[in-house]
């Protein structure tokens, strides 16, 4: 996928209509559909060739030597598969496709992303094999159709095959010379036109055209990879690393000429952690004209994030830590690739938006909130419903300060109704509070249990009659499914919910 190109096209000024931008967000679905289509047609193609290979061997005839890939009747079809260029490259392509396909399943992507990623890059090998595959010249066409029209009459062979003989040949045939074709051309009547068969059919391999179809997209992809490589060549300057509760690390960085829009994500590459792996993280703070610093929040979930935390911090952060813990040290070299686009970018372009976050899925919305904190008046957005569901009370502290600051700012600017914050603590054995007097505003917006989505949608529909509400979700898939379904269901207030699907795995 050409992510930079997609992010570029997605940029609000580049593509005018929201419909087109939402269509661009379906690029991953399109990518998957193309992959599945390639697999389905490959199965058909391979099945047809297997039957063909068998036919070459079983029905071998010396009549059309140029067309028959087998060398003699009963030749082992496996020999044709493994010793010819088209056969061998075909077998290898099937193998590559099988690996790519099986490793792309949801289960593998979730349990071992690296396997998915490395096998997916085999697409390059697939393309090279595809180019060689067609160079074998198995598919041929006849070059002398004029001299030897298909189906023309050749007494030596045609008669044996019991093909009806035109009237002019109904007389007994004279003795034929040993050579297959007489010196004088033989007339053949077809639709009252006499066709002359003057020579043996001649065949020639088709000119390979595959490169015409794949070179364009491949060049585009390579150009993008090169651009990405050059752009991410310079490391960032890490300005601070903050350890947050519930195993979350905040990283603030700077990089010359780095620009990003709220909702976008970057890909981190830290050679000291892994020479090959790169991991995506959504920007929680974007650089602006006045401040160059940008940041991400990472949840420590697996081997890469664990090792990354260890090289960044002198000691690992613990859940018990209440206050952010600033660490100063010699940071490792860190490279970033991106930014890349995401549907969350669109939330500022609706008059009313509903942003639902589950756990660390809050990150894209944190950058939206940070942007609104800078200036909310310049965007189309006039009402934001922000719903955040977490398992632990401490998790709300990742962005508690930001939420409080935005709330206070909007109150000072006489727009308290601009943002509707609802925080849900899904698992608790009693009433809890986000510790600290300064978070009083949030404590009053804290609810216990999971949100009741239907009620929430009804309430929003009632308050925003006849309007279009943009729905955004980032978090566990289950929330996303519920919201998608509710967005597509009708309501009695004429409110339209437009679901913007975000996909992470
Ligand atoms: C667009 C996007 C934005 C993200 N933003 C954030 C964020 O702001 N904060 C945050 O904490 N996490 C974010 N994530 C998730 C983050 O990328 C993974 O948690 C991280 O890659 C885990 O790596 P690991 O080796 O530590 O864990 P693993 O145990 O290897 O993986 C944990 C999960 O992360 C997924 N994952 C692993 N590697 C990758 C990869 N290279 N690309 C995509 N998914 C991967 C796997 O499917 C797996 O289910 C985002 C993911 C995506 C796709
Ligand atoms: N964009 C991003 O930037 C990004 C970053 C990181 C992760 N992600 C995605 O976010 C996901 C979760 O991250 P996490 O580990 O921090 O989350 P998590 O702790 O597993 O779940 C977050 C919350 O979502 C609630 N929840 C789950 N299903 C729900 C439903 N149907 N209705 C209401 N609430 C529901 C959970 O409630 P219960 O306690 O009741 O289950 C929990 O409180 C990951 O799987 C990943 O796909 C996205």
């Amino acid at each position: 996928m050409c992510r930079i190109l997609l992010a570029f096209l997605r940029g609000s000024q580049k593509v005018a209509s929201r419909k087109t931008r939402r269509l661009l967000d379906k690029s991953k679905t399109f990518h998957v559909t193309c992959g599945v289509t390639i697999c389905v047609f490959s199965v058909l193609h391979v099945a047809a060739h297997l039957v063909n290979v068998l036919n070459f061997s079983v029905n071998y005839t010396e009549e059309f030597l140029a067309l028959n890939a087998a060398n003699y009747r009963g030749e082992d079809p496996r020999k044709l598969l493994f010793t010819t260029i088209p056969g061998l490259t075909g077998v290898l392509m099937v193998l590559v496709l099988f690996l790519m396909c099986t490793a792309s399943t949801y289960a593998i992507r979730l349990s071992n992303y690296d396997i998915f990623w490395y096998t997916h890059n085999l697409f390059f090998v697939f393309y090279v094999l595809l180019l060689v595959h067609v160079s074998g010249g198995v598919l041929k066409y006849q070059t002398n159709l004029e001299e030897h029209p298909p189906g023309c009459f050749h007494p030596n062979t045609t008669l044996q095959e019991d093909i009806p003989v035109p009237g002019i040949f109904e007389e007994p045939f004279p003795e034929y010379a040993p050579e297959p074709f007489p010196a004088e051309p033989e007339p053949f009547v077809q639709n009252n036109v006499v066709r002359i068969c003057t020579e043996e059919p001649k065949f020639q391999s088709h000119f390979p055209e595959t490169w015409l179809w794949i070179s364009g997209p491949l060049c585009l992809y390579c150009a993008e990879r090169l651009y990405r490589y050059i752009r991410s060549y310079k490391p960032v300057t890490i300005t601070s690393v903050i350890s947050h509760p519930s195993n979350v690390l905040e990283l603030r960085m700077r990089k010359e000429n780095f620009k990003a829009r709220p909702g976008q994500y970057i890909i981190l590459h830290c050679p000291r952690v892994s020479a090959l792996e790169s991991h995506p993280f959504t920007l929680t703070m974007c650089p602006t004209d006045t401040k160059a610093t940008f940041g991400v929040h990472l949840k420590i979930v697996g081997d890469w994030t664990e090792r990354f935390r260890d090289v960044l911090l002198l000691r690992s952060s613990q859940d018990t830590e209440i206050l952010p813990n600033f660490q100063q040290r010699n940071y490792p070299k860190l490279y970033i690739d991106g930014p890349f686009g995401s549907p969350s970018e669109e939330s500022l372009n609706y008059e009313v938006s509903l942003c639902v976050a589950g756990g660390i899925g809050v990150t894209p919305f944190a950058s939206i909130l940070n942007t609104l904190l800078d200036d909310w008046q310049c965007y189309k957005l006039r009402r934001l419903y922000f719903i955040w569901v977490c398992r632990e009370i401490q998790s709300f502290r990742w962005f508690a300060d930001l939420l409080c600051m935005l709330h206070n700012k909007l109150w000072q600017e006489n727009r308290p109704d601009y943002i509707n914050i609802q925080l849900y603590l899904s698992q608790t054995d009693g009433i809890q509070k986000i510790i600290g007097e300064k978070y009083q505003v949030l404590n009053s917006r804290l609810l216990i249990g999971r949100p009741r989505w239907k009620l929430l949608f009804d309430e929003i529909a009632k308050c925003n009659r006849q309007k279009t509400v943009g729905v955004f979700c980032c978090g566990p898939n289950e929330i996303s499914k519920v919201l998608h379904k509710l967005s597509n269901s009708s309501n009695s207030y004429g409110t339209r919910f437009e679901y913007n699907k975000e996909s992470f795995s």
Side-chain angles (χ1 to χ4, degrees):
M1 285 171 73
C2 294
R3 289 170 201 271
I4 295 273
L5 184 66
L6 285 167
F8 173 75
L9 290 176
R10 220 202 167 289
S12 36
Q13 292 87 20
K14 314 289 183 309
V15 176
S17 105
R18 185 197 291 155
K19 220 172 170 180
T20 319
R21 289 198 296 270
R22 292 183 73 223
L23 206 65
L24 284 175
D25 293 335
K26 299 202 173 26
S27 53
K28 197 177 153 197
T29 312
F30 179 69
H31 173 83
V32 174
T33 311
C34 289
V36 172
T37 311
I38 289 174
C39 290
V40 169
F41 283 101
S42 296
V43 169
L44 290 176
H45 181 91
V46 169
H49 271 312
L50 286 180
V51 171
N52 217 11
V53 162
L54 215 64
N55 271 337
F56 278 146
S57 166
V58 174
N59 301 322
Y60 178 85
T61 156
E62 280 174 9
E63 200 179 337
F64 296 116
L65 282 178
L67 288 182
N68 201 323
N71 295 312
Y72 52 87
R73 186 181 287 270
E75 187 176 10
D76 189 345
R78 280 172 298 184
K79 202 171 147 198
L80 296 178
L81 278 183
F82 292 103
T83 58
T84 59
I85 289 180
L88 189 63
T89 48
V91 170
L92 291 175
M93 274 196 289
V94 169
L95 190 72
V96 168
L97 209 57
F98 177 77
L99 287 175
M100 284 175 73
C101 242
T102 46
S104 303
T105 52
Y106 182 66
I108 300 276
R109 286 197 328 261
L110 210 66
S111 59
N112 202 327
Y113 193 88
D114 298 343
I115 292 185
F116 157 72
W117 182 241
Y118 295 135
T119 48
H120 225 63
N121 279 301
L122 285 175
F123 83 92
F124 210 83
V125 178
F126 184 87
Y127 275 146
V128 173
L129 287 170
L130 187 60
L131 289 174
V132 184
H133 186 61
V134 288
S135 67
V138 167
L139 297 183
K140 291 175 178 155
Y141 67 100
Q142 193 185 329
T143 52
N144 58 345
L145 285 172
E146 270 306 308
E147 294 80 5
H148 185 105
C152 67
F153 178 73
H154 181 342
N156 274 348
T157 52
T158 322
L159 274 182
Q160 288 162 14
E161 287 165 15
D162 242 11
I163 293 174
V165 182
I168 53 165
F169 292 110
E170 269 172 11
E171 292 299 308
F173 289 101
E175 282 297 304
Y176 279 96
E179 65 264 20
F181 280 83
E184 281 301 306
E186 291 171 13
F188 177 58
V189 181
Q190 224 176 28
N191 298 333
N192 292 330
V193 177
V194 178
R195 306 296 304 267
I196 311 289
C197 187
T198 52
E199 51 182 51
E200 289 274 17
K202 287 180 186 151
F203 298 97
Q204 193 176 325
S205 297
H206 278 285
F207 177 71
E209 284 179 358
T210 314
W211 65 273
L212 277 175
W213 295 93
I214 59 173
S215 53
L218 206 59
C219 284
L220 192 66
Y221 182 78
C222 290
E224 178 174 311
R225 292 303 310 205
L226 185 69
Y227 175 67
R228 278 172 67 173
Y229 177 77
I230 295 168
R231 201 170 68 163
S232 59
Y233 189 70
K234 257 182 129 178
V236 293
T237 310
I238 299 177
T239 54
S240 60
V241 177
I242 306 165
S243 174
H244 286 288
S246 306
N247 261 331
V248 167
L249 207 65
E250 182 183 347
L251 197 65
R252 290 195 184 166
M253 315 156 257
R254 277 165 189 265
K255 190 179 175 184
E256 223 175 286
N257 298 327
F258 179 78
K259 287 192 177 69
R261 292 187 298 270
Q264 291 193 313
Y265 70 94
I266 53 171
I267 296 180
L268 299 187
H269 177 65
C270 181
R272 195 166 341 148
V273 178
S274 165
L276 294 174
E277 284 181 46
S278 302
H279 290 259
F281 292 93
T282 307
L283 291 165
T284 47
M285 188 202 285
C286 290
T288 60
D289 293 339
T290 48
K291 70 174 167 41
T293 311
F294 56 96
V296 290
H297 281 64
L298 306 90
K299 190 167 181 179
I300 317 301
V301 289
D303 54 350
W304 190 87
T305 39
E306 258 170 38
R307 273 182 280 138
F308 188 49
R309 176 207 41 203
D310 293 344
V311 298
L312 285 177
L313 296 180
L314 293 169
R315 62 190 164 84
S316 64
S317 64
Q318 299 297 317
D319 280 359
T320 48
E321 274 180 281
I322 303 298
L323 291 169
N325 171 28
F326 292 84
Q327 306 277 344
Q328 287 300 320
R329 56 173 289 181
N330 260 344
Y331 294 116
K333 273 216 162 87
L334 181 68
Y335 300 88
I336 60 162
D337 186 8
F340 303 101
S342 94
S344 313
E345 287 180 52
E346 206 56 33
S347 54
L348 294 168
N349 298 332
Y350 284 89
E351 210 177 300
V352 185
S353 283
L354 164 65
C355 295
V356 178
I360 191 65
V362 68
T363 50
F365 307 126
S367 68
I368 304 280
L369 298 178
N370 255 317
T371 304
L372 293 176
L373 186 64
D374 284 342
D375 183 10
W376 56 272
Q377 278 158 349
C378 60
Y379 298 102
K380 189 179 174 190
L381 187 70
R382 285 295 162 261
R383 185 128 228 253
L384 173 65
Y385 292 86
F386 174 66
I387 318 293
W388 187 12
V389 198
C390 283
R391 269 197 195 122
E392 298 167 24
I393 188 84
Q394 305 278 16
S395 304
F396 294 115
R397 298 199 53 155
W398 302 333
F399 297 104
D401 288 319
L402 169 65
L403 287 170
C404 286
M405 279 195 285
L406 184 60
H407 173 271
N408 293 341
K409 178 185 164 96
L410 291 166
W411 269 78
Q412 277 163 17
E413 294 179 10
N414 207 16
R415 275 306 306 271
D417 58 329
Y418 187 91
I419 186 165
N420 180 322
I421 301 172
Q422 298 183 25
L423 307 177
Y424 289 85
L425 187 61
S426 62
Q427 289 182 15
T428 176
D429 41 12
I431 304 289
Q432 295 196 30
K433 282 197 159 68
I434 305 170
I435 300 155
E437 196 51 34
K438 62 176 181 169
Y439 300 131
Q440 204 48 45
V441 166
L442 300 183
N443 284 331
S444 60
R445 283 159 177 80
L446 185 65
L447 300 144
I448 303 298
R450 285 178 169 192
R452 291 156 79 185
W453 300 116
K454 179 84 183 83
L455 276 181
L456 183 80
F457 268 68
D458 282 347
E459 186 196 310
I460 296 174
K462 206 169 156 185
C463 299
N464 300 281
R465 290 165 198 252
Q466 307 295 334
K467 287 193 174 149
T468 299
V469 179
V471 181
F472 301 86
C473 171
C474 185
N477 266 341
E478 300 85 64
I479 307 186
S480 167
K481 277 183 204 152
V482 180
L483 297 187
H484 200 166
K485 209 169 147 199
L486 281 170
S487 301
N488 289 340
S489 61
S490 60
N491 60 73
S492 47
Y493 307 102
T495 312
R496 210 173 137 242
F497 290 95
E498 227 170 60
Y499 186 74
N500 294 267
K501 190 171 165 36
E502 192 122 6
S503 140
F504 297 103
S505 42

